[in-house]
Amino acid sequence: MPWVDYIDQMIFSTVWPIVVLVLMLVTYNVVTRVRPSSVFADSNKWIYGAFLLIFLVFASNSTLLFRYFSCITFDAKGDDPSKIKVLMADMSINCRSDRYQDTLILAWTMVAIYPIGFPLFCFYVLYRHRRQLNPKVDVTAEHQELIRSSGNLFRVSSTRQMEIDIDQRSQDLELQRFAFLYEEYEPQCWWYAVAELAMRLYLTGILALFGSADAPATTTQTSLGLLGAMVYYVLLSAFDPFIDPMDDFLAKIAAFQIMLTFYAATMLQAQENAKDDAAGDPNSVWNNEVFSMICVIVGLSTFGVAIFLVVAGARDLRDTVGKVARYFSDTTPGRALRRLSTRGSSTDEGRKASEDADPSTNDAEAAAPRGPRASSSRLASSGGRVE
């Protein structure tokens, strides 16, 4: 099996999506000329597939590209009399070699396409269609009675406004070609997909540019990552961009997890950089089993909350109560209660059947006086005469 290093991996990962896009374009042109009435001649579907393809490979390819510029030096004999400079992601690659220098042109070209070009293009497309994405349909006259009868005017009007705006944009066929960029977000947050792309790019790629040639990680990287996570959490809390409130809640949990992760990384890096143990972490607060366990819990928190939300959303409370009621009804006390109720109903049915079988008894019981009220009625009917 031939050896595949980081340069080969970067070239393949960044080139094959472009090749697929070119093949998609050629296929679309052929289909429209041969069978223009075919379902595959719909340009919206092809554009949607192209957007989705680049969106899926955006984060991974951007990370590969930025890590290509991160090199580290070692004390050894190389081109430099005292140090050798190698790629941090693959230390078999010499950053001073001709192969690495020649690939820099391709790397910068792909940086212009993926980390820079794709977010800018997405923002251009969304900004161009911003009025269609956020139509702001006038619903005052149509729902004035509903709004007036509500105790919370702003909440009802804004919620109904959002629902109608979402219906309006979902019916626009022109927007379907890039629907995955906005369909999860509220109409007024049509731009939020670009903010998500920028955040991914910042946390996974741009931080690699703030590394050091003498150390694999720096306090600058972890502190800037913490700052970016804080800004992202504030942005998320301020706008609540998702249509589903549960998505907003889960996104905040994930953002808070990122904040805690970078905070822990900053503390660990500060401890590593402290030359004096007394000035660094003398009590080993950031270097013990409890802290390690907390890091693991924080790392799994978003996954756990996501599972809980899925389970909670899949089971309705009434269904759960019904299952519990059926469970207890199948136990021994439940069966005994059902037997007693069955016997009681059987006794009532037998008594009713016996009364129907002896009509004279029923007539006698009906003719017999029952209490003072019956006697008074008989006296009244006879005109007060006593026989």
Side-chain angles (χ1 to χ4, degrees), residues 300-320:
L300 297 176
S301 60
T302 303
F303 182 70
V305 172
I307 293 178
F308 172 77
L309 292 178
V310 170
V311 174
R315 294 183 178 180
D316 188 74
L317 180 60
R318 289 177 297 180
D319 295 339
T320 305

Side-chain angles (χ1 to χ4, degrees), residues 315-329:
R315 294 183 178 180
D316 188 74
L317 180 60
R318 289 177 297 180
D319 295 339
T320 305
V321 173
K323 290 179 181 179
V324 173
R326 287 193 297 271
Y327 171 78
F328 282 105
S329 66

Side-chain angles (χ1 to χ4, degrees), residues 11-29:
I11 294 174
F12 177 78
S13 298
T14 55
V15 169
W16 76 261
I18 300 177
V19 175
V20 172
L21 291 178
V22 173
L23 293 177
M24 291 173 63
L25 179 61
V26 173
T27 305
Y28 170 73
N29 291 329

Side-chain angles (χ1 to χ4, degrees), residues 164-177:
I164 294 182
D165 290 345
I166 292 174
D167 293 338
Q168 181 73 17
R169 78 178 184 184
S170 62
Q171 297 173 6
D172 194 333
L173 297 179
E174 185 181 0
L175 302 178
Q176 299 305 312
R177 61 184 64 181

Side-chain angles (χ1 to χ4, degrees), residues 207-218:
L207 291 180
L209 300 178
F210 295 92
S212 172
D214 298 322
T218 63

Side-chain angles (χ1 to χ4, degrees), residues 89-121:
D90 187 352
M91 294 187 180
S92 64
I93 299 176
N94 189 347
C95 293
R96 295 191 177 98
S97 64
D98 294 336
R99 180 167 175 253
Y100 178 85
Q101 297 297 328
D102 295 339
T103 315
L104 278 175
I105 301 176
L106 176 64
W108 281 113
T109 303
M110 293 302 175
V111 166
I113 294 175
Y114 286 101
I116 299 176
F118 183 65
L120 290 178
F121 182 71

Side-chain angles (χ1 to χ4, degrees), residues 24 27 32-33 51 88 101 107 116 154 172 238 264 268 276 294 297 307 345 355 369 387:
M24 291 173 63
T27 305
T32 52
R33 292 182 180 182
F51 266 103
M88 188 181 301
Q101 297 297 328
I116 299 176
F154 177 76
D172 194 333
L268 290 174
D276 187 0
I294 292 176
I297 295 174
I307 293 178
S345 60
E355 292 175 355
E387 296 178 357

